[in-house]
């Protein structure tokens, strides 16, 4: 019995050692950047803000929607593999050292007297659709939710999403991609 187990073990080793196959395809070339310890340096990312966004009611779908075409706001090439993060401006909060902007990562839910509504979005490499969906007659929704909205859009290479970064933390995202608040382009649709 002992010899049978040894033979089986040797056969298994020979079988696994002799296996060969395609190594797979080469990955996308990286972008040269500053050396760093977080492994995220050199990532091509872009952040921009769109203020004055108005949603239109679509009765057939019982939701509000608007479309933002990327090349209207950026000259940055968007790839199908890129990730898009969208943050909605929730106003200012007062901190001990002064006011600060308050941003919420979409999807974002609200509970109103009529029911529940949610900001959400869908995107491809050309444009993105922003939606306000809900579980009630959306035609009754206040203009406070549908008109003059302010969004921050972050475009990241798809590889970035494998990091352990908290994407709901706007400051952490901006720090990881080396973008400071002052350099963010702001586009007004008003």
């Amino acid at each position: 019995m002992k010899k049978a187990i040894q033979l089986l073990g040797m056969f298994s080793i020979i079988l696994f050692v002799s296996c060969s196959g395609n190594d797979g395809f080469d990955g996308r070339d990286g972008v040269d950047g500053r050396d760093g310890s977080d492994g995220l340096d050199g990532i091509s990312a872009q952040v921009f803000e769109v203020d004055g966004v108005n949603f239109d009611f679509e009765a057939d779908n019982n939701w509000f929607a608007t479309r933002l075409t990327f090349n209207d706001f950026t000259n940055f090439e968007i790839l199908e593999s890129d990730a898009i993060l969208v943050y909605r401006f929730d106003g200012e909060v007062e901190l001990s050292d002064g006011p600060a902007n308050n941003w919420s990562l979409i999807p974002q839910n609200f509970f109103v007297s009529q029911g529940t509504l949610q900001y959400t979005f869908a995107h491809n490499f050309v444009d993105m659709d922003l939606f306000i969906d809900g579980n009630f007659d959306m035609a009754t929704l206040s203009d406070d939710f549908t008109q003059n909205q302010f969004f921050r859009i972050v475009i990241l290479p798809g590889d970035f999403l494998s990091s352990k970064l908290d994407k709901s933390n706007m400051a952490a995202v901006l720090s990881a991609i080396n973008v400071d608040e002052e350099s963010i382009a702001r586009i007004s649709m008003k």
Side-chain angles (χ1 to χ4, degrees), residues 62-76:
N62 188 40
W63 65 29
F64 285 85
T66 191
R67 176 167 289 162
L68 301 177
T69 304
F70 293 126
N71 66 7
D72 290 343
F73 304 103
T74 181
N75 59 5
F76 190 81

Side-chain angles (χ1 to χ4, degrees), residues 19 22 31 34-35 53 56 77-78 86 91 100 106-107 117 120 127 131 138 148-149 164:
C19 289
N22 187 347
V31 178
R34 292 186 343 208
D35 291 334
V53 175
D56 297 314
E77 181 183 5
I78 312 296
V86 180
I106 290 180
L117 68 96
T120 188
D127 56 32
F131 301 101
M138 294 296 287
N148 199 28
Q149 299 296 301
K164 294 181 181 182

Side-chain angles (χ1 to χ4, degrees), residues 2 13 21 23-24 44 51 69 88 95 127 132 141:
K2 189 175 182 181
I13 290 171
D23 291 336
S44 295
D51 193 11
T69 304
R88 182 178 171 273
L95 301 175
D127 56 32
I132 308 172
L141 186 62

Side-chain angles (χ1 to χ4, degrees), residues 47 49 152 171 173-175 177-185:
V47 182
E49 298 174 347
R152 183 174 279 179
V173 170
L174 294 180
S175 176
I177 60 176
N178 296 318
V179 171
D180 56 17
E181 290 280 340
E182 295 78 31
S183 68
I184 297 173

Side-chain angles (χ1 to χ4, degrees), residues 9-21:
M10 287 178 24
F11 177 72
S12 297
I13 290 171
I14 291 171
L15 178 67
F16 288 116
V17 169
S18 65
C19 289
S20 66

